Amino acid sequence: MRYEAVIGLEVHAQLLTRTKAFCGCSTAYGAPPNTQVCPVCLGLPGALPVLNGEAVRLAVRTALALSCGIRPASRFARKNYFYPDLPKGYQISQFDEPFSDRGELEIEVGGVKKTVGITRVHMEEDAGKSHHSAPHSVVDLNRSGVPLVEIVGEPDLRSGAEAAEYLRTLREILVFIGVNDGNLEEGSFRCDANVSIRPVGETRLGTRVELKNINSFRFVEKAIAHEIVRQAEVLDAGGRIVQETRGWDEDTGTTFSMRSKEEAQDYRYFPDPDLPPLRLDDAFVAEVRGLMPELPEAKRRRFTGEMGLTPYAAQVLTVHPGVAAFFEEAAKRHAGAGHGPAGATSNATKVANFIQSEILGDVQTHGLDAKIPVSADQVAALLGLVDGGTISGKQAKEVYAAIAGTAEAPAAVVARLGMQQVSDAGAIESLCKRLIEQHPKQADQLRAGKVSLTGFFVGLAMKETKGSANPQLVNEALKKLLGPG
Ligand code: ADP
Ligand code: MG
Ligand code: ZN
């Protein structure tokens, strides 16, 4: 039998607030266990939650970036279950009245665009973290109460590759709008994948299996692909798919059963009596919308449009919001220094090329931070020296290596190392004259039309001047001395 796979993803993303969703405890990652806790996030009797306004702003920004509608009134619910990392015995979430619904996300797989529905975005709180190291299991509740958005996707995806691309696109948006640090290893961006199959042509959905908390896009793709094959084998052998939660074992490349899947009624959701309904009026939503950072796709369109970059360069320079901002700042300063009009193609492309070929390999990112070894000012000044003919492109690489990690001005390095480019046309001409005399055979061949020998003489000139001769002037001198006439 031929089957079609159906996949819907649930993503949990930590919101980048300083404090937790319902108390004032710090959300900073990596503190000693159980040092960022209070009666509220420990679930002690009588403690009362107070909603974090910044968490609401970031959640609404997330929903708007995914084209969701914002519901003017929503409600927090208690999702009841027992687990050692959940001291209250329930998680505060949103259930039948989320603050937003019905959005979409556009992805591109193999050059084909596809719009994937977003069912809803809702707010909830994170649980603590259990660590199992025999003979003990211990729990760290620092994470308990950290604000999350859950982004529930429609079952519109049809392959592991589409699912992985959906996650990459979603993660990029969240990082660029500054609501989440996109850190899969630290668990601040997590995904559950729901997978089912059905005979090709069938419109009803098959029974789904939920793959839990897979912490890399590559593993998501592999786990889904494996799960599709496993389900097809079960059905082909006359079996039935059981609705269950399965985990992914990277070592064996297989999924394994963890538990049968809970239904909503198992959680006995009910409105949290400690929290009033959340009201989001139009003015608030308009304010959040007005402060929306530029989305990555729009940024790339602007980079290729008004700034004239190639699609490839635009893609590379939007690898991280910090890199994109650095590029824009350097291009602005370079243009501002009078080396061409702001946004002029050649100007922006020069900056883009230099960042891609020299700087990007030295950039270190962690979450939303990008450590770049030079400032936008230094890059603009350095490329200004190239534009003005003071140094060659080759020398620019050396100057970059010298200023990286320092605050030194490129011009100071050029002076210190005595690397002024030789742009004295007379000096270059006499050098070329000497080189021609030293290599009469090659000179004759070049005169006779073997133009490839131009490179031979340019190379000699560069060697003699340790790369400081202005190559354009060398070319002109050679043409003058050896050219026709
Ligand atoms: P729960 O919260 O219990 O996991 P939901 O009904 O909210 O359940 O569905 C969660 C996710 O499962 C959604 O992303 C949805 O797209 C996906 N999903 C639902 N049914 C199927 C199915 N039959 N096959 C694949 N994915 C599904
Ligand atoms: Mg689920
Ligand atoms: Zn607390």
Side-chain angles (χ1 to χ4, degrees), residues 10 12 79 150 192 194 208 210 212 261:
E10 295 163 275
H12 289 89
K79 180 181 184 179
E150 175 168 347
D192 304 336
N194 297 273
R208 72 178 146 129
E210 185 177 46
K212 264 284 179 225
K261 168 86 178 120

Side-chain angles (χ1 to χ4, degrees), residues 360-430:
L360 221 45
D362 299 335
V363 174
Q364 285 177 346
T365 61
H366 181 259
L368 289 190
D369 297 325
K371 273 206 188 64
I372 303 176
V374 284
S375 69
D377 254 340
Q378 285 172 306
V379 173
L382 177 53
L383 294 178
L385 293 173
V386 178
D387 293 336
T390 310
I391 57 172
S392 67
K394 187 158 163 273
Q395 289 173 313
K397 295 173 195 232
E398 278 176 65
V399 177
Y400 166 70
I403 59 171
T406 77
E408 200 170 8
V413 173
V414 168
R416 178 154 58 76
L417 302 183
M419 34 162 59
Q420 242 83 321
Q421 174 169 255
V422 178
S423 287
D424 173 345
I428 285 181
E429 196 176 318
S430 45

